Every structure is written in C-alpha cells, then in structure tokens.
C-alpha cells in the first residue's frame, strides 16, 4: 500500500440523520443538522483551505483561511464555525475570498522559515499545501522586523521536537492535548504577536505532557515533528495493523520508507481508538529492532552450558525428540505448555492444539491465570460468558462511571481519554481504590466519591453498596423480575446487617455515609457503568468480587444497553483472545469444557486425534509437580514467568527442576535463564493474524515486514507437532482462523476476508450477528437469565503483623508494559528507569526514610531493595510498587495466596516491612523486629 492519507473533513461529524440540504459551489449536499459548512463542502468534494481546523477537534475559527460567502448573508464567515441551514447557498471560490486568503497566508509566511526544501515535513506540511491552494506567489512584507524565526527548539522529549520558530499558533496542539487526550498540558502564553505554545512554562519533558502524540498528530507544520521522521525522512507507504501493548487494541498506520519503519500513526478508522494513541503504541516500537533481540534458534543440554546457535531443522528435531523422550520415561502428562497473551489468536490456537493433540494432554494454561482468570469465572457464572459486556464507545452514554481497582490513565490511557471526555461532559465518577489515582482529581475531572478502601476488602465494599441499593428500595424490580433469577436468596443474604456499610466500616476503612452516597448515586444517576482492572481480580476473592459487581449491575438494571455494563480492562493486548482460544486446562476454544463428550467429539473429528476428557494442570500445579518430580518439561510461549509470577523463588525452583524448558520469545528473558531451547519469536511488526481486545474486538495484525527469524511462530509450532508425529500444517494464518471459526460458535462468522472488509468485528460474530456484537445481553443473557450469586466476604489469609505491618500492592505505570522486556528497550526508560516504592510520608518518617532513600522491602517469602518515593496519595499503612524491572524483582516478595476459584495470585495484598537499606539503627516503636538487610539475598 502506498502512503495512506486519511481524509480530513475539517470539523467533527454530527450525529443524526442527514436532513439539511445545501448547495456548495452549485453542488447539492444533504447533511445532519449542526454540520459545519466546511464539512458539508468536504462531503460534496470541495476542500476549503484551512489551518486551524481538523476533524478530530471542535471548530476554533482562528486562522481566517476558511472564509466563504453565503447568499443573503453579509461578510465572509469562517466555514468551520458556521453551521449549515436549509437551502443555504455557499461559494468557496470568489475573487474576494482569493484576495483575503492570500493576505492571510502572506502574514503567516512572512514569519515562517523558508526552508521547505530541507524541512523534515516537506511534502507533508499543511502550511505548504495551503500556500499552494490559495495561490500565494509573493510575500509583500519582507522578512525583516519583529518575528519568531530565532525561537529555540525544544528537543527534551525522546520522541519528538518542538521547533518553535515554525509555530503558527493555530492552537491545534493545545486543543488536541485538552479535547482528545484530556491532559491539558499545553497552553497559549501571551497575547497578540507574543502568543506562543507553551508546555506550562517549561520544556516538554518537564511538563505534564504524557507524550501521547496527539499534539504531533494535530500539528499542521513541522513545529511538532517525530525525531524518527527528522532522521529517516518522510515515509512512503503504510500498513494498517494493531498495537501489541495493552488490551485497548489500538489500530495504527505503520508508515515506512522502503523496508524501514519510520513512525506509527493512530488510524482514525480504528474501532478501539478512533485516531488516538499513547506513548507506548505511538512511539515505543524500537524494541522490535533492538540489538538484544535473538534471531537464531539456540539449544543447550544444561542451563549452565553456553547457548549453541543452530538452524531451524535442528532445533525442531531436538525439541520434539526431547519431549517424546520425556513422555516415554515419565508418561504423557509429564509435559505441558503456557500460551501467551502477547501473540496472535492464531499463534495461541496452534500451541494449545499442539498440547492437546500432539502432547496428548490438557496441560495448557495461560498468563491470564495470573491476571483476569476471575473475570472469566465470575462473568460466566452470572451472565453466561467470559467477557465484558460493552464496546469502548459505550462510555460516551454513561451517566455514572464506577472505576474499581483500575488506573486507566496509566494502564489503558487511550480508553481513559474517552472516559475523561465523558466526565468533562458531566458524567459522575466513583473511584474505588486504595490509592488516590490520577483520575480522582485531574484537570476538569473530579470524582464525586473516592472510596479509599483497605486492600483486600473489595467484596465487603461492593456488598455494602448492594445492601444500600436493596434496603433503600433502589432495586430495578422490572429488570430483575424479567431478566434475572435467584434474586430472592441473594436479597436475603445481602440484606443481612453484617453487610451494611456501618458494619464493615472499620474493616474497609471507608466511612459508611460515603458508601451509602456512592451506592445511591450509582443506582439513581442514570446509566451506570463499571470498569475494573487487576485491583479486582488479583485477590483471594477475585472471582467473588467479579460476581459481586455483576450482582450490583443486575440489581440496578445496568446491563444490556449502551452506557452501562461490566467492563474488564484487560492488561495485555490479547488476554481476551488467548482465553477465547482454549488456553485454560479445562476449556477448549470457545470456553467449552473438555469433559463435554459432544464438544470434544467435534474437535476430535476436526483434529484427527483423541482428546483427554480430564482437565490438565494449571500453572501453579505445573510448578508444584515440577518440584515434586512428576512434571518434567514446559513449553513457554511469549511469557516471562520467572519475573511476572508470584513468589519468584518458588518459580525458579520449579524451572530448575525441569529437564526441558522451551522458551519462545524475542529476548533472552529471565525465564530463558532456565531454558534448554530458545525459539526466537516475531514482533508484532512481523506477525500476520488477529488480536482480540478487551471489548471482544477482533482486529487484524498485518505484517509490516517479513519475520526477521525466517519463520512465523505458528509455523514453528506446527513443525514441532509434526516432528512429534502429529500432522499439523497450514500454508497461511487465514487457514488457522478458518479452523477456529469452524470449531468456535462465537467466531463462526469471522474470517480474514471479513476483517479486511469491515476493519474489525466484536464476537459473537455468527449467523445471528454477521457483523459482530458491540453490546452483549441486550435481549437476554447468554445463559438465559442473569444469575444472582451470594458473595460472602472472606478476609484474605494475608494479614499485616507486628513483623510485617504494611500492606504492599503492585501495579503498572504509563510508560512501561508488563515485565518491561519491550518498553525497557525503548526511549520510555526516560520516564521510568527503575521500579520505586511509593510510601506515605508518615510511614516513611517513623522509619527514618527520606524521599529517594534506598530501602529494603521484605515479606515472609523474600526481600528486595529499591528507592523510596514519598507519596501522600498512598494511605497510611499501604505501599506500592511496579514490576517492570527484573533487577528489582518485585515479585520476590509477593506470596502464593490466590483466588479460591481460579488460582489467580493475590498480588494486591502482601504484608511487608520497609526499612532503610544498610541501616544499623534499631527498629522504632517495635515495628521492625529484624534487621531487614539481613533478609535480602
């Protein structure tokens, strides 16, 4: 594909039917009421010159270039700010307009560097284009006198420059930062000739800018320009593909010059992002070509040996023979594998198929085990399907938004921008989180209620809210009576006094009146939507909490239409897809249990293999069995379990005990230190397949370049299966999707051809919904009726003690992703070069800790050290860190406590102690009974 230039209609579309008919230069056009003259003209095929207008921003009317004449009206109004009216006749090209536009352009050009031939934006500059469009041939004012040509360039940001001398003060960057991103980091300083764009009086790197790239995207000149464009030149072709970072699943145009990727530009037609991006997806793609990447297969007999590079035939034969030898000695069930949420649906599908059909067992699990497995369990129990209910657009219709255990501005920033836009329009916000996350109070956003609960008490809080809804008569009886079951038993349970806000106040730390007010707002405020993250699922009662939220949504009638619903914010890009593809040991693709004879028969017929009817081992079971000696080989696809899983010492012991560890990844990660086979993987720029995001949207992932390793990952897996004696061959990944569609009812209508035609679809996609299902459960729940489930609160076994008096909770930050293997190898390290420990000033003071001190963090299973950051957004008694850097190894201290239903680890509650590293001072106030440095390995 040549370089894709998306049309810019000047102003945003207006909703509603096209009812207003006008004429533009004699051409008739009918548009929705409220449409601007500029957009109506563009729709009729006439482009009106413009500089300050773009269809991603509301009209501003400052550049005075888009002037038009309208029959019967005086003057020359700006077409961007003038709405159409029935019967209006517009002229866009007259001698008067030509003269006015040329005069405006003369003023711009007289204060602009005339370096077009050497400018990085040459050929992609709207100012240059408009000079031609208005027929400017001379500048009468000369270039002497006051100007801005000596303004300095701000190069502080690692990804883009701000060349102030080229700024025309059109405000597009300022408005993009506010309207699109919602950060409001940029402003216009000064007045008149002294007006200039400012990042809050400082440079971009020191400002509140989050480097989403919206300003760069909006800039009509070379003022804000990607450094990659400056270095490599303008791209010449585009490939539309999908981001490989978080679960939002943004669509991008990968723009290349020859075979070299120059930049990633968010795609306006992307269903999930609609032209917006974040710092990771927009800029942090350099890891794909980082020198650390391994491109050659490698093997070794022992993990103490040096790696030996080999060719593909050798590594595939070596791997298959080793796996068969181990099965011959220890049995069919002695081997298994873990699929990845960073790979495509097709790549996940073939791995689980290899395990079930070639390995001959169900020992397959996925990294969703350690993040959103409670979502799958809880929503299946209550609604009948293991997925969120809404599309991202739905938030625009929400009246009350409740965010529980999620930090969207850091974890899912592009969706957070949608959410903040709705909040600025007037929707109410309830935040339930131990930390005062940015969303609680940010520019033009203020939460009505922040329930700052104690870690581990989610279920008590959601039950208390439901108690208020029930006992104060706020239940939506018509919804419940018509669409739900088991309500009476639940109502009797939730009405019990022990579930009241007053009864749990001491336990949760949330004032009862605050809980009551939040519950009343959610029940009576209009469309109520719940968005949640790992702060819900990574608890010993993660599944219970998911069902508790579902109960609350059903009781208030907030399911089955736009603006409502239960919406998990998935962490990795393809968590939803990896679960859909049958990565759990008890479920075949489409969430159907392996014990179902009919379902299993369908797969056996298609795969030509007998499948086991008993569930296989979960990840924690694999680790335990490895140490015990009955599990001997593990295939790990695209996950770094030696860094990401809890109680790392236990994980390392399990990996050391295995006879064969096969790692398929981009880099020699922490898990590869225990591996005997390394299979080099492909980056998202080389993959050909699909990802499924958090809203069930199946997006195409198109190869920007051929695999640098010489093979696609699905080819490698298929060849290993064949070498083990099981015939598995595909000539193209579309054949894998066709097989998925043939076996999985919710994917029955999905094909590469349809995705290329429609852009994306949200499952279920089948005969009943050939173009997908944006909103689930509209006319009825998947399971028939929504089921109320009693959710008694059971405190976690992990308690703070005299020895470990603080509670550690973990999470992620904006610039980094998961274990950091990708983002640590990009310019994003400029924002986060190490994991730090956030601690309340009071907790720091009693320990003699100052901001920036190196401290030791210890739990009952391990200890590590990192730098302390004093943060009053932390409650007293709670500390917080991330796990993006292996040198810190935050999961050294997290425990093996896990969700009762799914074994999802309880990352969010670990009793710890914090002390100054290398301190010889005695413990104060009896809070430190042992010298922590002695506990560090």
């Amino acid at each position: 594909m040549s370089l894709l230039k998306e049309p810019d209609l000047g102003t945003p579309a207006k909703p509603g039917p096209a009812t207003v008919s006008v004429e533009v230069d004699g051409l008739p056009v009918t548009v929705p009421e409220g449409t601007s003259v500029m957009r109506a003209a563009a729709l009729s095929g006439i482009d009106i010159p413009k500089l300050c207008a773009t269809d991603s921003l509301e009209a501003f009317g400052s550049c005075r270039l888009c002037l038009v004449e309208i029959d019967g009206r005086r003057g020359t109004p700006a077409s961007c700010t003038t709405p159409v009216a029935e019967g209006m006749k517009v002229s866009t090209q007259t001698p008067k307009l030509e003269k006015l536009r040329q005069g405006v352009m003369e003023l711009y050009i007289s204060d602009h560097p005339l370096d077009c031939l050497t400018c990085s934006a040459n050929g992609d500059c709207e100012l240059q284009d408009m000079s031609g469009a208005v027929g400017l041939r001379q500048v009468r004012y000369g270039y002497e006198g006051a100007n801005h040509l000596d303004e300095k360039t701000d190069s502080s940001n690692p990804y883009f420059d701000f060349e102030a001398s080229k700024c025309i003060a059109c405000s597009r960057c300022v408005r993009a930062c506010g309207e699109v991103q919602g950060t409001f980091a940029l402003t216009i300083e000064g007045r008149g000739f002294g007006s200039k764009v400012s990042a809050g009086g400082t440079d971009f790197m020191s400002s509140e800018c989050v480097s989403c790239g919206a300003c760069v995207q909006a800039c009509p000149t070379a003022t804000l320009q990607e450094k990659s464009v400056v270095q490599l030149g303008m791209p010449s072709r585009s490939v539309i593909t999908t981001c490989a970072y978080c679960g939002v699943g943004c669509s991008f145009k990968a723009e290349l010059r020859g075979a070299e990727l120059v930049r990633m530009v968010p795609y306006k037609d992307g269903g999930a992002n609609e032209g917006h991006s974040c710092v990771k997806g927009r800029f942090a793609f350099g890891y794909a070509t980082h020198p650390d990447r391994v491109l050659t297969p490698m093997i070794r007999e022992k993990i103490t040996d040096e790696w030996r590079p080999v060719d593909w035939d050798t590594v595939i034969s070596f791997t298959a023979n080793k796996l068969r030898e181990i099965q011959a000695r220890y049995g069919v069930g002695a081997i298994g594998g873990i699929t990845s949420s960073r790979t495509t649906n097709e790549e996940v599908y073939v791995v689980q198929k290899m395990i079930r059909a070639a390995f001959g067992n169900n020992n397959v699990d996925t990294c969703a085990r350690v993040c959103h497995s409670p979502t799958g369990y809880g929503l299946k129990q209550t609604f009948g399907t293991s997925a969120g209910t809404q599309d991202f657009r739905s938030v625009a219709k929400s009246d009350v938004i409740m965010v529980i255990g999620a930090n969207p501005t850091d974890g899912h920033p592009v969706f957070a921008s949608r959410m903040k836009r709705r909040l600025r329009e007037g929707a109410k916000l309830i935040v339930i989180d131990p930390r005062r996350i940015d969303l609680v109070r940010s520019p033009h956003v203020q939460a009505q209620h922040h329930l700052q609960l104690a870690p581990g008490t989610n279920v008590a809080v959601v039950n208390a809210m439901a108690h208020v809804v029930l006992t104060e008569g706020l239940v939506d009886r018509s919804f419940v009576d018509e669409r739900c079951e088991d309500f009476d038993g639940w109502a009797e349970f939730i009405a019990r006094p022990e579930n009241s806000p007053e009864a749990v106040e001491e336990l949760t730390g949330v004032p009862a009146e605050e809980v009551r007010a939040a519950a009343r707002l959610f029940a009576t405020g209009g469309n109520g939507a719940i968005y949640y993250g790992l702060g819900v699922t990574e608890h010993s009662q993660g599944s219970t909490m998911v069902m508790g939220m579902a109960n609350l949504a059903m009781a208030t009638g907030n399911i089955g239409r736009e603006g409502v619903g239960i919406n998990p914010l998935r962490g990795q890009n393809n968590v939803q897809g990896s679960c859909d593809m049958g990565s759990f040991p008890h479920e075949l693709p489409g969430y159907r249990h392996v014990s179902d004879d009919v379902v299993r028969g369908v797969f056996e017929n298609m795969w030509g293999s007998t499948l086991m009817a008993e569930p296989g081992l979960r990840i924690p079971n694999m680790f335990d069995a490895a140490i015990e000696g009955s599990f001997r080989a593990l295939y790990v696809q695209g996950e770094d379990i030696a860094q990401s899983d809890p109680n790392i010492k236990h994980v390392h012991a399990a990996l050391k005990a295995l006879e064969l560890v096969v790692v398929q990844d981009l880099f020699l990660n922490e898990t590869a230190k225990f591996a005997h086979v390394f299979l080099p993987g492909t980056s998202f720029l080389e993959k050909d397949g699909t990802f499924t995001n958090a809203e069930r949207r199946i997006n195409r992932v198109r190869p920007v370049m051929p695999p640098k390793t010489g093979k696609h990952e699905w080819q490698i897996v298929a060849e290993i299966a064949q070498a083990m004696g099981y015939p598995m061959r595909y000539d193209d990944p579309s054949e894998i999707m066709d097989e998925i569609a043939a076996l999985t009812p919710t994917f029955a209508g999905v094909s590469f051809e349809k995705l290329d035609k429609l852009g994306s679809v949200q499952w279920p996609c089948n005969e009943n919904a050939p173009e997908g299902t944006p909103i689930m459960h509209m006319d009825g729940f998947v399971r028939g009726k929504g089921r109320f489930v009693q959710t008694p609160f059971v405190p976690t076994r992990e308690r703070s003690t005299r020895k470990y008096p603080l509670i550690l909770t973990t999470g992620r930050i904006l610039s980094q992703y998961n274990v950091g293997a990708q983002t640590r190898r990009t310019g994003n390290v400029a924002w986060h070069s190490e994991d730090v420990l956030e601690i309340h000033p009071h907790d720091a003071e009693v320990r003699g800790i100052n901001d920036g001190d190196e401290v030791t963090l210890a739990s009952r299973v391990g200890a590590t050290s990192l730098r302390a950051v004093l943060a009053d957004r932390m409650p007293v008694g709670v500390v917080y860190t991330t796990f993006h850097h292996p040198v810190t190894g935050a999961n050294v201290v997290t425990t093996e406590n896990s969700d009762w239903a799914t074994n999802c680890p309880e990352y969010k509650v670990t009793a710890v102690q914090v002390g100054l590293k290398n301190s010889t001072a005695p413990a104060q106030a009896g809070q430190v009974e042992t010298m922590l440095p002695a506990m560090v390995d």
Side-chain angles (χ1 to χ4, degrees):
M1 177 188 287
S2 58
L3 193 67
L4 176 61
K5 294 264 191 180
E6 295 174 270
D8 185 343
L9 304 183
T11 61
K14 296 298 179 183
T19 57
V20 182
S21 296
V22 300
E23 278 188 19
V24 181
D25 293 341
L27 296 176
V29 61
T30 303
V31 295
E33 187 176 356
T35 300
S36 71
V37 168
M38 175 180 281
R39 187 177 181 91
L43 290 170
S44 69
I46 297 169
D47 291 330
I48 299 174
K50 59 183 171 54
L51 281 173
C52 72
T54 182
D55 59 12
S56 62
L57 301 171
E58 294 298 325
F60 195 54
S62 73
C63 75
R64 309 305 297 167
L65 204 62
C66 68
L67 309 177
V68 294
E69 292 188 85
I70 300 174
D71 286 4
R73 293 195 186 186
R74 297 177 59 185
T76 53
S79 62
C80 64
T81 55
T82 303
V84 294
E86 181 64 30
M88 179 183 279
K89 294 185 177 181
V90 180
S91 296
T92 70
Q93 301 292 336
T94 68
K96 181 179 181 180
L97 293 173
E98 180 180 346
K99 188 174 181 181
L100 287 170
R101 289 173 184 155
Q102 287 180 354
V104 170
M105 282 304 301
E106 274 190 275
L107 292 172
Y108 279 121
I109 298 301
S110 67
D111 191 14
H112 195 82
L114 298 179
D115 60 349
C116 290
L117 292 180
T118 57
C119 178
S120 60
N122 187 23
D124 188 35
C125 173
E126 293 182 43
L127 185 68
Q128 187 181 47
D129 293 344
M130 291 305 106
S131 295
V134 304
L136 185 67
R137 296 293 178 266
Q138 63 175 341
V139 176
R140 293 168 295 170
Y141 307 120
Y143 300 98
E144 303 300 325
N147 58 51
H148 299 85
L149 301 180
D150 293 328
E151 292 282 341
K152 295 189 181 306
T153 297
D154 177 357
S155 296
S156 60
N157 188 284
Y159 295 120
F160 60 83
D161 293 329
F162 175 67
E163 198 168 348
S165 64
K166 295 183 176 177
C167 180
I168 61 172
C170 66
S171 281
R172 275 166 59 163
C173 59
V174 176
R175 290 180 285 137
C177 188
E179 291 180 30
V180 178
Q181 167 57 27
T183 296
F184 298 89
L186 303 181
T187 188
I188 296 287
E189 279 186 357
R191 303 182 65 180
F193 183 77
S195 299
K196 63 179 183 180
V197 172
S198 170
T202 183
D203 60 49
F204 271 75
M205 195 61 186
S206 306
S207 74
E208 298 295 321
C209 169
V210 294
S211 297
C212 66
C215 57
V216 180
Q217 178 99 343
C219 182
T221 71
T223 306
L224 283 156
Q225 183 70 281
E226 299 96 339
K227 290 182 177 179
S228 59
V229 172
V230 176
Q231 293 164 0
L232 301 173
M234 271 295 159
S236 56
R237 65 187 181 95
S238 309
V239 177
I240 299 170
T241 190
T242 305
C243 179
Y245 281 117
C246 77
V248 176
C250 296
S251 295
F252 277 89
K253 293 182 292 181
E255 296 190 344
L256 300 97
R257 186 179 180 87
E260 192 162 23
L261 180 62
V262 176
R263 64 183 176 185
M264 298 289 287
V265 179
Y267 187 42
K268 286 163 64 172
D269 282 346
N273 58 317
E274 297 182 316
H276 191 35
S277 61
C278 77
V279 64
K280 294 189 287 288
R282 182 70 155 88
F283 297 115
F285 53 83
Y287 70 88
T289 52
H290 194 279
D292 284 354
R293 192 169 159 196
V294 179
L295 302 176
T296 305
M298 300 189 297
I299 60 175
R300 58 184 176 182
E301 291 293 334
K302 297 180 293 186
I303 63 173
T304 53
D305 294 344
E306 293 293 321
W307 283 107
R308 181 162 62 91
V310 295
D311 59 30
W312 279 111
D313 288 342
T314 301
V315 76
I316 287 167
S317 173
F318 179 89
T319 304
N321 290 338
K322 286 281 186 184
L323 290 167
R324 282 296 186 224
E325 288 171 11
I326 289 171
Q327 285 191 307
R329 280 187 280 130
Y330 298 100
V332 170
I335 65 176
I338 299 172
T339 69
S340 172
S341 293
R342 294 204 286 268
T343 58
T344 65
N345 288 322
E346 293 73 17
E347 290 166 339
V348 172
Y349 177 85
V350 295
V351 169
Q352 64 85 32
K353 179 178 176 180
M354 172 182 72
I355 292 169
R356 298 187 197 280
F359 290 10
N361 62 52
N362 288 318
N363 292 337
V364 56
D365 208 350
T366 176
C367 59
R369 174 69 56 205
V370 300
C371 61
H372 266 287
S373 50
T375 289
Y377 180 87
L379 294 183
K380 190 166 187 176
Q381 295 297 311
T382 49
F383 298 162
T385 191
S386 301
T389 61
Q390 311 296 119
D391 63 356
F392 289 144
R393 291 191 183 101
S394 169
V395 76
K397 301 289 181 65
S398 298
D399 299 308
V400 181
I401 299 170
M402 187 150 66
V403 178
I404 309 178
N407 189 8
T409 54
D410 277 25
H412 306 83
V414 172
F415 172 69
S417 292
R418 282 183 187 266
M419 181 185 289
K420 288 194 290 187
R421 187 181 310 146
R422 179 59 188 148
L423 292 169
R424 293 196 302 274
E425 291 170 350
K428 308 301 183 187
L429 175 64
I430 301 168
V431 174
I432 302 179
D433 200 293
R435 293 195 307 155
R436 191 180 69 242
I437 59 174
D438 289 347
L439 205 54
V440 173
R441 186 182 178 87
S442 58
H444 305 285
V445 171
Q446 171 76 57
Q448 276 62 43
H449 302 284
H450 176 204
L451 309 187
Q452 198 165 15
L453 76 176
T457 62
N458 283 339
V459 173
V461 169
V462 80
N463 281 349
M465 291 184 72
H467 177 93
V468 175
V469 170
L470 182 81
T471 57
E472 296 190 7
L474 304 179
V475 170
D476 185 338
R477 289 301 314 206
S478 61
F479 181 91
V480 170
D481 292 344
E482 180 183 345
R483 301 195 47 187
C484 303
E485 63 186 15
D486 296 344
F487 175 78
D488 291 342
W490 174 80
E492 185 278 326
F493 156 77
I494 208 69
R496 294 174 190 166
E498 62 262 33
N499 288 322
S500 71
E502 290 74 17
V504 300
E505 178 176 334
E506 184 174 351
L507 180 73
T508 65
V510 184
E513 271 310 305
E514 194 74 15
V515 174
R516 288 190 176 276
R520 291 166 188 150
L521 174 61
F522 187 76
T524 65
N527 286 339
I530 296 175
Y531 292 88
Y532 70 95
L534 303 183
V536 161
T537 57
E538 292 179 341
H539 286 277
S540 61
Q541 279 202 290
S543 294
T544 309
M545 180 60 183
V546 173
M547 293 186 288
M549 295 185 302
N551 291 337
L552 183 63
M554 288 188 291
T556 52
N558 280 311
I559 292 291
R561 62 181 186 277
E562 288 186 299
V564 300
I566 300 290
N567 306 283
L569 297 173
R570 307 275 188 169
Q572 298 193 64
N573 53 304
N574 200 33
V575 174
Q576 182 68 58
S578 69
C579 297
D580 298 341
M581 292 299 103
S583 291
F584 290 121
H586 66 294
E587 289 177 333
L588 291 159
Y591 304 99
R592 287 162 297 165
H593 204 280
V594 294
S595 63
D596 187 319
D597 293 340
V598 175
V599 170
R600 205 172 59 257
V602 172
F603 281 86
E604 288 175 337
N605 286 335
M606 177 70 82
W607 291 353
S609 177
T610 300
L611 304 179
M612 294 187 69
E614 296 79 29
L617 299 175
R618 296 176 175 181
I619 291 174
N621 305 137
M622 294 182 194
F623 293 156
D624 292 342
I627 293 172
E628 182 265 334
S630 59
F631 188 74
R632 307 305 302 157
L634 181 64
Y635 189 106
V636 186
Q637 177 198 29
E639 287 299 325
D640 195 1
I641 54 177
Q643 185 183 344
S644 64
D645 283 35
N647 194 357
I648 284 175
K649 284 183 179 178
H650 183 70
V651 177
H652 289 187
L655 292 172
K656 280 180 183 175
L658 293 169
E659 290 188 23
L660 178 68
V661 175
V662 181
V663 168
Q664 189 169 17
D665 213 309
L666 299 178
F667 305 104
L668 283 172
N669 57 22
E670 296 302 298
T671 306
K673 292 177 180 176
F674 303 92
H676 307 82
V677 175
F678 185 83
L679 304 171
T682 52
S683 76
F684 79 107
L685 297 172
E686 300 145 54
K687 293 184 184 297
D688 190 356
T690 57
F691 291 150
T692 306
N693 74 354
E695 51 171 358
R696 298 169 280 104
R697 184 182 300 278
I698 306 165
N699 263 317
R700 280 283 279 123
V701 184
R702 298 182 178 86
V704 172
M705 56 190 72
K708 290 182 177 295
T709 61
K711 278 187 187 293
H712 286 288
E713 292 193 32
W714 55 266
Q715 290 177 308
I716 300 165
V717 174
E719 290 178 16
I720 290 173
Q722 290 184 74
M724 293 182 72
Y726 174 72
M728 183 159 67
R729 177 181 172 80
Y730 304 96
D731 293 324
D732 189 90
S734 64
E735 297 174 4
I736 304 174
M737 177 52 78
D738 291 343
E739 185 173 310
I740 294 167
L743 289 168
T744 312
T746 48
F747 277 66
V750 180
S751 66
F752 279 21
E753 182 182 6
K754 176 174 284 187
L755 293 172
D756 289 340
K757 179 182 176 185
L758 299 180
S760 62
V761 296
Q762 290 169 266
W763 67 256
C765 176
N766 48 33
E767 274 187 9
N768 296 327
E771 296 193 358
T773 310
I775 309 292
M776 298 279 285
H777 317 299
M778 293 189 74
D779 300 319
F781 288 92
V782 170
R783 65 180 304 279
K785 289 199 170 187
R787 177 184 168 218
F788 280 91
V789 178
Q790 297 183 28
T791 53
F793 171 63
V794 179
T796 172
R797 292 184 301 169
E798 185 75 1
R799 309 288 179 84
S800 58
T801 63
R802 182 178 172 84
K803 188 173 183 178
Y804 302 110
L806 304 174
I807 294 296
L808 169 72
T809 185
T810 62
R812 63 169 64 175
I813 64 163
L814 172 64
S815 64
Q816 296 295 320
Y817 173 70
N818 203 260
V819 296
Q822 294 143 282
T823 43
R824 281 187 281 106
R825 292 179 170 91
T826 70
N828 282 26
V829 293
W831 289 280
H832 186 82
S833 59
E834 60 179 336
D835 292 322
V836 298
L837 184 77
E838 293 187 24
I839 184 170
H840 190 277
H842 172 76
D843 290 326
E845 183 179 8
V846 298
R847 289 165 174 79
I849 295 170
N850 295 310
D851 193 64
D853 281 348
E854 194 79 8
V855 298
T856 300
L857 174 71
S859 74
R860 62 180 172 82
V861 299
T864 186
S865 61
L866 66 175
R867 197 164 52 83
V869 171
L870 274 55
D872 64 4
R873 69 173 178 173
M874 299 302 303
V876 173
V878 181
V879 293
Y880 170 85
T881 191
T882 52
F883 58 96
H884 302 307
H885 293 266
V887 67
T888 310
N891 284 320
V892 167
V893 301
T894 52
T895 71
E896 291 179 289
N897 291 337
S898 65
D899 175 50
W900 62 271
T902 65
N903 280 135
C904 182
E906 193 174 41
Y907 290 109
K908 304 304 184 188
V909 186
T910 304
V912 296
Q913 178 56 291
V914 177
L916 273 173
K917 187 178 181 183
N918 300 323
S919 170
T920 57
Q924 296 186 33
Q927 293 170 325
V928 184
E929 293 192 347
T930 59
M931 296 307 296
L932 292 175
M935 301 178 65
V936 181
D937 288 340

